[in-house]
Amino acid sequence: MDPKTDMTSVDLAALAGELSRYEGAKVDKVYLYGDDLVRFKLRDYDRGRVELLVETGDVKRCHVADPAHVPDAPGRPPEFAKTLRSRLAGGELADTAQYEFDRILTFDFERPDANTTVVAELFGEGNLAVLDETGEVQRSLETVRLKSRTVAPGSQYEYPQSRIDPFDVRYEVLEARMEESDTDVVRTLATQLNMGGLYAEEFCTRAGVEKTLDIADAGEEQYRAIYDVIQRMGERLQSGDLNPRVYLEDDAVVDVTPFPLEEREGMEAEAYDDFNAALDEYFYRLDLTEDEEVDDAPDFEAEIAKKQRIIDQQEGAIDDFDERAAAEREKAEAVYAHYDLVADVLSTIQSAREEGRGWEEIDETFLEGADRGIPEAEAVRGVDGSEGTVDVDLDGTVVTLDAGTGPEKNADRLYTEAKRIEEKKEGALAAIENTREELEAVKRRKEQWERDGGGDGDEADDDGDDGDDGDDDADDRADVDWLSRQSIPVRRQDNWYDRFRWFESSDGFLVIGGRNADQNEELVKNYMEGRDLFCHAQAHGGPVTLIKATDPSEAARDVTIPEQSRKEAAQFAVSYSSVWKDGRGAGDAYVVTPDQVSKTPESGEYIEKGGFVIRGERDYYRDVPAEVAVGIQVEPETRVIGGPPSAVEPRAATTIRLTPGRFAQNDAAMKCYRRLKERFADEGFVRKVASADLIQEFLPPGESDLLGE
């Protein structure tokens, strides 16, 4: 028999009761995979992480999944996922219900600013609609415009026409519906009483009524027997008295039901404590069967080692955050402890500036005062006119003060900075918790793989080489001919930097750039740290480019960024600047350290939003070619990547190079998508991980040519 791919109305009635146990869970994030699978990542006070999956495509399902069964997070979220995140993040799951007896589930989420309802239609073509408090559609996976109903953004959501609920119908109604029919008993139950084929047969079997009995030959005896069976099952659904089963045929899953069915008697079956767990196991194993992603053993050890490294880095970062926050608080307290001294120093500077005296003259005045033994002058360690600040030694604690304000505002600024650092610590703690959960999920997948016979080790080293077995792993993966593979596994991860422009350099350093003036400001303000490098094209309209020495969640450490990474960052900065838009084949770029970057202009000058003042010497890179590569990476993550060819091409299974040319950005992206799709034997692979829109995010602004086009 063909495996079940759609949940029935009976399934949803059974599931709705079980999902009520998750009411009160908070929404962390929402993801959209492809066109039809939505993942709600929730956090429940008693149960911890809760993964709610809703799929509305060829497979139609809804259930809470074991984290080990959840696909890796996809890349940059599409607009539908962004809408859900903006409306649901931090909200609470308030109610879950089946609409009447249809294949529709509704999820009500509450938040202080607004309530949202998500409607999952698990019938027909399938759909997911996001409604505001008034029932107006904010966004939907599919737009529906029929005579009977409309589901489209801006319109009031319309449910399908009501259908009869067999578990809530009076006997007289059932009898009347049966008598109106002109076919046999089982077909009448399936259509007129909204039971579907399987449960129509099941009720006939349990009632002892011949399925093919013609309605003309049926009467009250048969109708009463069927009605009694229906009522008993309805009572079990209402009370949650379930006894779920997953049915198998030739070791493959074929059905999942909330009760053992007499129609499935004799089939191999597995029992489960609750229906949700049965659904999760069924659809997880159905996915494995359909995807046939069992050609090669996953590299679990590499995944485990990577997760553990991330945890170690995050733990180190937390210690660093504690020290930094304590240092800022100590400075703030020192300001108040030496309030009069600080006030005198600041008022002296402010008075001098009002008199038109320059910063160098002010610095010399403090030096002269220190020579004369004036305590306030002795405490001053120097002034910085470019930033408008003064460094003051307060009993061994050197504090940088904003010379344009008073002691209170300076102390408040320091306390605010301490609070900001502590908030980063909270983010790191949450990140550690997520990473630990991901680590445990990998371990569980590894154990499941080994239980299923995937880890017996009999296929190792078939080339006869019994030597080094560690450092060759990466080379082995690099040698895989992904283009000819008939089935390629998808491994996704949600990265904090996905919303920026980014690439990973040849030396393994993350390079990120702003997409607009707001992101340029954000990168410098929130992500640029002392050991990073700042890079920019010697042209207007280019992205702020940072070569990150460490991840924001890592503790700072001494790092030397190699020349190759600097050159690649320079090419990145040039390619995504106005150099490309102007159709030029090359441009100049420079690299400086963060302490050379400032938002404070010289007197009489003005800085545009997203712009910065660079002071001191710059390391220039001349005549850098404007050229990028875009492609698809398979290992260790599956994703679209783009940037300097020397960095991108070794990491991708296949790439396309582009230069300034004649095709508009969206046309070039579509050409890239089609060309990449043609290269893989696994025809559905590129569609799973890429799209023309996603590829376009990696293309420079302006027109492009594909090399070889």
Side-chain angles (χ1 to χ4, degrees):
M1 60 182 290
D2 293 333
K4 170 182 183 173
T5 57
D6 294 2
M7 293 179 65
T8 67
S9 295
V10 174
D11 294 340
L12 294 183
L15 176 66
E18 291 190 355
L19 289 180
S20 64
R21 69 183 66 162
Y22 300 103
E23 291 171 6
K26 300 287 187 181
V27 181
D28 278 350
K29 195 169 279 190
V30 185
Y31 304 90
L32 174 62
Y33 300 80
D35 300 325
D36 51 35
L37 174 59
V38 178
R39 166 189 167 197
F40 298 84
K41 184 178 180 182
L42 312 171
R43 192 161 299 277
D44 183 79
Y45 181 79
D46 296 318
R47 298 173 179 82
R49 178 178 168 188
V50 177
E51 298 284 4
L52 175 64
L53 302 183
V54 181
E55 190 168 7
T56 62
D58 293 337
V59 171
K60 295 179 180 65
R61 56 162 170 158
C62 175
H63 56 84
V64 170
D66 186 310
H69 295 172
V70 173
D72 293 335
R76 188 174 176 83
E79 291 304 316
F80 185 83
K82 289 180 181 178
T83 298
L84 282 170
R85 291 184 184 186
S86 67
R87 295 192 63 89
L88 302 184
E92 180 179 293
L93 177 60
D95 184 60
T96 302
Q98 180 185 27
Y99 175 71
E100 296 185 346
F101 190 65
D102 215 329
R103 285 180 289 167
I104 297 175
L105 286 176
T106 61
F107 303 91
D108 292 333
F109 295 90
E110 293 182 352
R111 207 167 63 176
D113 59 333
N115 296 336
T116 300
T117 297
V118 176
V119 183
E121 300 181 354
L122 302 180
F123 64 88
E125 297 298 318
N127 201 1
L128 205 72
V130 184
L131 319 182
D132 67 10
E133 292 171 302
T134 69
E136 182 179 299
V137 179
Q138 303 303 298
R139 193 170 287 275
S140 58
L141 284 178
E142 303 291 339
T143 298
V144 178
R145 298 188 187 277
L146 303 172
K147 289 183 178 180
S148 58
R149 61 193 294 258
T150 298
V151 181
S155 67
Q156 284 293 119
Y157 179 81
E158 298 177 274
Y159 286 97
Q161 185 176 355
S162 295
R163 302 172 68 187
I164 192 170
D165 181 351
F167 298 115
D168 192 38
V169 69
R170 292 180 296 107
Y171 170 76
E172 291 76 15
V173 175
L174 179 143
E175 183 180 42
R177 289 295 184 101
M178 300 295 282
E179 292 291 347
E180 291 170 0
S181 176
D182 59 359
T183 183
D184 56 31
V185 171
V186 71
R187 287 187 174 86
T188 304
L189 290 173
T191 57
Q192 297 300 313
L193 285 155
N194 195 25
M195 292 180 184
L198 175 61
Y199 283 96
E201 293 181 358
E202 180 69 16
F203 293 152
C204 285
T205 299
R206 293 191 179 201
V209 175
E210 177 60 43
K211 302 172 191 176
T212 58
L213 179 67
D214 194 282
I215 284 295
D217 299 324
E220 183 176 358
E221 180 182 354
Q222 289 79 22
Y223 300 157
R224 285 285 183 187
I226 292 171
Y227 182 77
D228 289 344
V229 169
I230 293 173
Q231 291 301 299
R232 287 197 296 272
M233 184 170 284
E235 290 169 2
R236 291 186 65 180
L237 285 171
Q238 184 70 28
S239 64
D241 178 20
L242 309 180
N243 189 8
R245 292 291 187 274
V246 170
Y247 290 98
L248 301 94
E249 193 173 78
D250 298 328
D251 295 326
V253 294
V254 292
D255 200 0
V256 56
T257 62
F259 315 100
L261 299 185
E262 293 187 20
E263 287 298 301
R264 298 283 185 255
E265 191 172 353
M267 292 182 63
E268 182 182 357
E270 297 175 353
Y272 287 82
D273 292 334
D274 60 79
F275 189 42
N276 187 85
L279 288 166
D280 178 36
E281 185 65 20
Y282 175 81
F283 284 107
Y284 176 66
R285 286 156 70 174
L286 180 67
D287 282 346
L288 289 179
T289 303
E290 290 183 342
D291 292 345
E292 297 180 350
E293 294 179 359
V294 295
D295 296 332
D296 293 280
D299 192 352
F300 291 116
E301 294 304 328
E303 281 191 76
I304 291 171
K306 179 180 179 181
K307 299 296 183 188
Q308 190 57 59
R309 283 197 303 273
I310 293 172
I311 290 172
D312 293 342
Q313 293 165 355
Q314 290 167 332
E315 288 175 340
I318 288 172
D319 294 337
D320 184 57
F321 291 147
D322 284 334
E323 294 175 4
R324 288 166 54 193
E328 294 301 314
R329 289 189 181 279
E330 181 181 352
K331 293 175 184 177
E333 290 161 4
V335 169
Y336 279 118
H338 301 81
Y339 186 95
D340 292 340
L341 184 149
V342 170
D344 287 343
V345 170
L346 295 174
S347 62
T348 297
I349 295 174
Q350 291 162 13
S351 297
R353 291 296 292 165
E354 289 172 1
E355 294 170 3
R357 297 166 66 185
W359 287 98
E360 290 185 6
E361 185 180 355
I362 293 172
D363 197 19
E364 290 174 1
T365 300
F366 280 121
L367 289 173
E368 292 171 0
D371 291 340
R372 296 200 303 271
I374 300 173
E376 292 81 2
E378 288 178 330
V380 174
R381 291 290 173 266
V383 297
D384 183 349
S386 66
E387 298 292 338
T389 59
V390 56
D391 292 340
V392 184
D393 188 338
L394 304 176
D395 279 349
T397 300
V398 177
V399 183
T400 299
L401 302 170
D402 181 350
T405 62
E408 294 91 348
K409 287 191 176 180
N410 273 286
D412 287 346
R413 175 180 56 80
L414 293 165
Y415 279 127
T416 300
E417 177 62 12
K419 184 177 180 181
R420 186 188 71 82
I421 293 170
E422 287 170 343
E423 288 173 351
K424 289 187 71 174
K425 174 189 171 183
E426 292 302 315
L429 287 170
I432 282 182
E433 185 179 354
N434 285 337
T435 308
R436 284 175 177 155
E437 290 176 354
E438 292 166 0
L439 175 61
E440 292 305 311
V442 174
K443 290 179 178 178
R444 287 195 297 270
R445 291 205 309 271
K446 178 175 181 284
E447 292 170 0
Q448 183 64 48
W449 175 270
E450 291 171 347
R451 283 197 299 270
D452 292 343
D456 55 20
D458 292 340
E459 299 178 2
D461 289 334
D462 59 359
D463 60 355
D465 184 0
D466 58 358
D468 298 334
D469 60 356
D471 295 337
D472 291 338
D473 287 351
D475 294 336
D476 291 343
R477 288 195 297 270
D479 290 338
V480 174
D481 182 6
W482 294 111
L483 300 185
S484 63
R485 287 279 294 273
Q486 294 298 315
S487 179
I488 302 175
V490 175
R491 302 177 180 90
R492 292 185 173 127
Q493 182 171 319
D494 198 14
N495 301 300
W496 65 267
Y497 49 79
D498 284 335
R499 61 194 182 91
F500 300 107
R501 296 194 186 279
W502 65 272
F503 74 95
E504 191 173 345
S505 76
S506 298
D507 305 298
F509 288 89
L510 176 66
V511 181
I512 51 178
R515 294 183 179 276
N516 50 46
D518 287 333
Q519 286 196 351
N520 284 346
E521 296 268 357
E522 182 182 359
L523 286 175
V524 170
K525 181 178 179 181
N526 297 336
Y527 292 99
M528 186 172 71
E529 297 176 318
R531 293 170 177 82
D532 299 340
L533 290 178
F534 176 101
C535 180
H536 202 282
Q538 190 67 23
H540 183 72
V544 161
T545 301
L546 299 181
I547 311 175
K548 293 294 298 173
T550 56
D551 188 271
S553 64
E554 292 182 275
R557 52 191 172 90
D558 289 327
V559 173
T560 300
I561 297 176
E563 183 65 16
Q564 179 65 17
S565 292
R566 296 172 181 234
K567 289 180 178 178
E568 289 169 348
Q571 185 173 30
F572 177 84
V574 166
S575 296
Y576 292 95
S577 74
S578 58
V579 169
W580 192 288
K581 190 178 291 186
D582 294 342
R584 290 182 281 152
D588 298 338
Y590 60 84
V591 174
V592 297
T593 55
D595 59 3
Q596 295 178 253
V597 183
S598 172
K599 281 294 292 183
T600 305
E602 298 295 343
S603 178
E605 293 182 351
Y606 168 74
I607 299 178
E608 294 181 353
K609 186 175 184 179
F612 301 89
V613 174
I614 307 299
R615 295 186 170 89
E617 295 187 3
R618 313 179 187 191
D619 291 334
Y620 277 97
Y621 292 83
R622 305 290 187 184
D623 295 323
V624 178
E627 185 177 43
V628 300
V630 64
I632 295 181
Q633 180 180 356
V634 177
E635 290 277 3
E637 296 176 41
T638 315
R639 57 188 177 183
V640 176
I641 58 175
S646 60
V648 170
E649 289 174 349
R651 300 179 188 279
T654 183
T655 60
I656 298 168
R657 286 200 185 194
L658 299 99
T659 58
R662 64 189 185 280
F663 295 111
Q665 191 185 52
N666 58 333
D667 292 335
M670 181 56 73
K671 287 178 177 290
C672 288
Y673 175 72
R674 289 170 178 165
R675 188 186 289 187
L676 291 170
K677 193 174 180 182
E678 292 169 355
R679 293 181 182 179
F680 286 88
D682 182 353
E683 296 179 358
F685 170 67
V686 173
R687 182 178 57 82
K688 294 177 186 175
V689 300
S691 65
D693 288 343
L694 186 56
I695 290 170
Q696 186 171 337
E697 293 181 2
F698 289 87
L699 300 187
E703 298 177 330
S704 303
D705 277 344
L706 283 64
L707 295 187
E709 183 76 9

